[in-house]
């Protein structure tokens, strides 16, 4: 490093999108072998700043230096050439290609072909070292959201970088996989790599970082040494300006069965007729937490229950079997569905936020009357939800795709919870949300539960499941392999079930009924 200069300096960076100020005179420094935590509420400007560094955005003002030398980064290719790698919160992958082909995109081949052998060896090495496994020949279009994120992490590890940006890297990982990633980060920093680590999980930020920068409304408001004295409360107050009050699950006896799924077979063609079908009941005033490693059938189950992708079996709502299994029919019967893929399945990026907030109900009063859209009602509804959920920026005319991932998540939660559903299927409800927004969403779920809604909470965050759920079930390879009341749940047993499965649920059911 020349004259002891930092590995990276971002000096007085400004970035605007029209009237919206995303970054305001931001300074950021990263040294060799350092993990720098970058914290802030959704919309604080963290990802925008890193997109400037990676060449996805051009700064309106400011300078970037690498090892003391000013550099011009006009594209991701420039960033990669300068030794910068980025793992995005939303996976940037080629859907129709295989895992191996995605790793080779933009890399020179060997002779007339692609160096598939090296990719396979690297995938095996990364899988063995970090627990981040993907089959090289799998088509990316068939991967779950969590597996696509895993592919992005593998790609970054495969290519290597002097500067590595990780944007919410553990949002879809199990605790064991997160530990594997932390091991990889420590190995990388030991060799001089600098890591910028963006996360809303304050415990892991405190565990893995050397220094923390906090952003608020586009500006850097704190630069702190992580000397072991920082607390989650201090960091949260710096981020959002107020104390947090985590949601508490008050004891409550569940009511009548709202949703009764019988003999659902998620993977009959792949696994044969000997697979144990899924039987699942959701009761009024109960949150059932579904835990599992991403890719084990969570999306298939959620889509089956919501009528998006029906599977063999029967689903009854309030005691009546639903014959017309489709999203519109399920919605009319009081079932709301919040998918894990917020942009691919929940929102339309090109639409203004106001339109996204009424997507499923735009043809119903008060949003339309006699076939005519009532724009004033739509705008009024959008303003209420934006204010209630603190969606930023607070402009409903901006295209949905221009909002940060966390604010997109707040938007879809705001849309579905606004109509007081009787049954809620919600997948990864707080993925990418800051601590303040997470607290708010958890509180709203508790209010729904206490009003008698039956909720299926699907989350890769085991802490979230344990905090909110009255009853916990584990899905492994398309089967329910464990079921337990929350007060009797054993974290170790759940972790084993998530990663290794169990032969049947008979023992767990006996435990549940004792």
């Amino acid at each position: 490093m020349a004259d002891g200069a930092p590995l990276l300096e971002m000096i007085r960076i400004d970035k605007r999108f029209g009237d919206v100020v995303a970054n305001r005179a931001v300074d950021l420094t990263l040294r060799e072998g350092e993990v720098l935590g970058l914290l802030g509420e959704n919309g604080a400007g963290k990802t925008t700043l890193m997109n400037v560094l990676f060449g996805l955005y051009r700064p309106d003002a400011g300078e970037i230096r690498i090892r003391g030398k000013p550099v011009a980064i006009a594209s991701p290719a420039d960033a990669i050439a300068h030794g910068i790698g980025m793992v995005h919160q939303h996976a940037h992958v080629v859907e129709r290609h295989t895992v191996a082909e995605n790793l080779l995109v933009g890399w020179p081949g060997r002779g007339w072909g692609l160096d598939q052998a090296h990719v396979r060896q690297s995938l095996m090495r990364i899988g063995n070292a970090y627990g981040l496994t993907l089959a090289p020949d799998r088509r990316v279009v068939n991967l779950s959201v969590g597996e696509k994120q895993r592919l992005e992490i593998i790609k970054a590890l495969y290519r290597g970088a002097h500067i590595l940006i990780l944007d919410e890297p553990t949002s879809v990982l199990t605790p064991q996989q997160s530990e594997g990633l932390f091991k990889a980060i420590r190995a990388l920093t030991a060799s001089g790599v600098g890591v910028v680590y963006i996360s809303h999980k304050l415990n892991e930020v405190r565990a893995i970082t050397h220094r923390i920068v906090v952003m608020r409304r586009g500006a850097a408001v704190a630069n702190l040494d992580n000397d072991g004295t920082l607390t989650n409360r201090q960091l949260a107050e710096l981020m959002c300006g107020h104390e947090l009050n985590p949601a508490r699950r008050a004891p409550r006896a569940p009511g009548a069965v709202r949703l009764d799924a019988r003999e659902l077979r998620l993977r009959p063609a792949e696994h044969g007729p000997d697979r144990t079908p899924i039987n699942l009941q959701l009761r009024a005033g109960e949150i059932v937490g579904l835990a599992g490693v991403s890719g084990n059938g969570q999306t298939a189950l959620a889509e089956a229950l919501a009528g998006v992708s029906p599977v063999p079996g029967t689903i009854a709502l309030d005691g009546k079997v639903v014959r017309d299994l489709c999203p519109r029919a399920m919605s009319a019967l009081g079932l709301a569905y919040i998918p894990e893929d917020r942009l691919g399945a929940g929102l339309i990026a090109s639409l203004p936020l106001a339109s996204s907030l009424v997507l499923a109900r735009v043809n119903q009063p008060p949003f339309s009357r006699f076939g005519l859209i009532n724009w004033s009602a739509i705008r009024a509804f959008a303003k209420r939800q934006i204010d209630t959920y603190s969606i930023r920026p607070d402009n409903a005319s901006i295209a949905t795709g221009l909002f940060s991932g966390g604010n997109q998540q707040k938007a879809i939660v705001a849309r579905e919870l606004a109509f007081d559903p009787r049954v809620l299927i919600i997948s990864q409800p707080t993925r990418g949300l800051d601590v303040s927004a997470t607290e708010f969403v958890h509180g709203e779920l508790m209010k729904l539960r206490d009003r008698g809604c039956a909720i299926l909470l699907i989350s890769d965050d085991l802490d979230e499941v344990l905090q909110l759920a009255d009853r916990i079930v584990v899905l492994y390879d398309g089967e329910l392999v464990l079921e337990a009341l929350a007060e009797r749940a054993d974290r170790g047993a759940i972790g084993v079930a998530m990663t290794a499965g169990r032969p049947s649920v008979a023992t767990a059911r006996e435990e549940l009924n004792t």
Side-chain angles (χ1 to χ4, degrees):
M1 187 187 302
D3 301 323
L7 178 59
L8 167 71
E9 295 170 276
M10 302 184 76
I11 304 168
R12 309 290 294 177
I13 299 296
D14 285 349
K15 182 61 187 176
R16 290 176 174 267
F17 299 96
D19 294 333
V20 178
V21 179
N23 292 145
R24 182 187 298 110
V26 179
D27 292 331
L28 183 142
T29 300
L30 178 69
R31 297 189 175 277
E32 287 188 353
E34 180 180 47
V35 181
L36 176 68
L38 188 57
L39 295 180
E41 289 190 287
N42 298 125
K46 310 179 299 296
T47 299
T48 297
L49 184 67
M50 292 299 99
N51 283 339
V52 167
L53 177 59
F54 196 59
L56 292 168
Y57 297 148
R58 296 279 190 97
D60 298 318
E63 183 178 61
I64 299 174
R65 297 177 184 172
I66 295 179
R67 292 190 170 92
K69 297 180 180 179
V71 297
I73 300 176
S75 69
D78 290 342
I80 292 170
H82 286 294
I84 301 169
M86 184 170 184
V87 175
H88 301 271
Q89 186 175 352
H90 295 297
H92 292 185
V93 292
V94 184
E95 296 273 340
R96 65 180 181 176
H97 286 180
T98 65
V99 167
E101 289 166 346
N102 267 267
L103 293 181
L104 287 166
V105 169
W107 283 71
R110 174 175 293 180
W112 292 100
L114 300 175
D115 194 354
Q116 294 272 3
H118 180 261
V119 167
R120 291 172 185 275
Q121 292 171 359
S122 297
L123 277 169
M124 184 176 296
R125 173 179 55 80
I126 291 170
N128 291 337
Y130 315 124
L132 301 169
T133 58
L134 283 176
D137 296 323
R138 286 188 67 185
R139 294 280 174 187
V140 173
V141 70
N142 295 322
L143 300 182
S144 69
V145 171
E147 288 170 321
K148 291 174 184 175
Q149 180 77 340
R150 197 181 309 165
L151 172 57
E152 286 282 65
I153 296 172
I154 290 172
K155 189 191 303 181
L157 295 174
Y158 170 71
R159 293 183 173 183
H162 300 297
I163 298 166
L164 182 62
I165 306 162
L166 299 178
D167 191 356
E168 299 286 348
T170 64
S171 61
V172 294
L173 300 183
T174 65
Q176 293 93 332
Q177 289 172 329
S178 295
E179 282 301 320
L181 177 64
F182 295 162
K183 182 188 296 184
I185 291 172
R186 293 185 181 105
L188 288 166
T189 55
S191 64
V193 174
V195 177
V196 180
Y197 193 95
I198 304 173
S199 178
H200 295 301
K201 298 180 180 180
L202 298 183
N203 285 333
E204 70 180 31
V205 169
R206 290 167 53 220
I208 195 64
T209 63
H210 301 96
R211 191 162 47 86
I212 297 171
V213 169
V214 180
M215 294 186 66
R216 188 190 304 150
R217 293 185 179 261
V221 297
N223 188 333
L224 310 166
D225 288 328
N226 187 8
D227 57 4
T229 65
L230 294 174
T231 66
N232 288 356
R233 181 181 295 274
Q234 290 172 325
L235 293 174
E237 288 182 0
L238 283 169
M239 291 166 58
C240 57
H242 63 81
E243 292 188 11
L244 298 180
N245 297 296
R248 302 295 181 187
R249 176 170 45 82
R252 177 188 174 93
V257 174
R258 282 278 172 83
L259 182 147
D260 192 359
R262 297 284 179 179
E263 299 292 312
L264 299 188
R265 295 185 180 273
L266 302 184
R267 300 175 174 178
E270 298 175 61
H271 299 280
D274 59 332
R275 307 295 295 173
T276 303
I278 288 177
N279 294 301
L280 179 66
Q281 291 184 332
L282 305 181
R283 294 180 175 273
E286 178 187 45
I287 297 178
V288 176
L290 181 69
V293 178
S294 182
N296 275 274
Q298 295 95 320
T299 299
L301 177 59
E303 290 184 346
L305 296 176
V308 176
S309 301
V311 300
T314 62
I315 297 174
L317 288 176
D318 291 318
K320 296 181 180 179
V321 174
V322 182
R323 303 296 180 187
D324 180 21
L325 275 172
C326 67
R328 186 178 295 260
M330 300 300 275
S331 177
L333 292 169
L335 184 144
Y337 173 45
I338 298 177
E340 64 172 319
D341 187 357
R342 52 196 168 215
L343 273 184
L347 301 166
I348 298 178
S350 60
L351 285 181
L353 180 65
S355 298
S356 285
L357 285 171
V358 297
L359 270 179
R361 296 174 175 84
V362 70
N363 62 340
Q364 303 171 11
F367 306 126
S368 66
R369 185 177 176 84
F370 304 121
L372 299 176
I373 293 178
N374 186 342
W375 286 109
S376 62
I378 291 174
R379 286 191 291 269
F381 173 76
K383 185 179 188 309
R384 286 196 304 274
Q385 298 310 99
I386 286 172
D387 291 344
T388 300
Y389 283 79
S390 298
I391 298 171
R392 296 291 180 267
D394 57 352
N395 185 343
S397 64
I398 296 175
T400 305
L402 294 180
F403 286 79
S404 70
N407 279 290
Q408 290 167 3
Q409 182 71 358
K410 284 195 275 186
I412 193 170
V413 171
R415 183 183 73 202
E416 296 301 328
L417 269 57
F419 299 96
D420 209 15
R422 294 172 63 78
V423 177
L424 174 64
I425 311 297
I426 183 167
S427 186
Q428 315 304 336
T430 59
R431 178 181 290 167
L433 293 189
D434 59 60
V435 289
S436 181
T438 295
E439 175 194 52
F440 181 82
V441 170
H442 285 176
E444 291 301 297
L445 291 177
M446 283 299 175
K447 290 177 185 176
L448 269 182
R449 165 194 181 259
D450 293 341
R451 291 200 299 268
C453 183
I455 301 173
L456 179 64
L457 168 71
I458 303 172
S459 179
D460 293 330
D461 186 341
L462 186 53
D463 288 332
E464 181 170 61
V465 171
L466 291 169
Q467 177 186 349
L468 300 180
D470 299 285
R471 180 161 48 98
I472 297 171
V473 295
V474 176
L475 191 67
Y476 177 81
D477 199 19
E479 293 183 283
L480 292 181
V481 295
L482 182 66
E483 182 176 356
L485 294 173
E487 58 265 26
R488 300 181 187 176
D490 178 84
R491 179 184 290 268
I494 292 173
V496 170
M498 289 171 62
T499 54
R502 287 176 58 163
S504 73
V505 297
T507 303
R509 287 270 168 83
E510 290 174 6
E511 293 171 358
L512 186 67
N513 294 324
T514 58

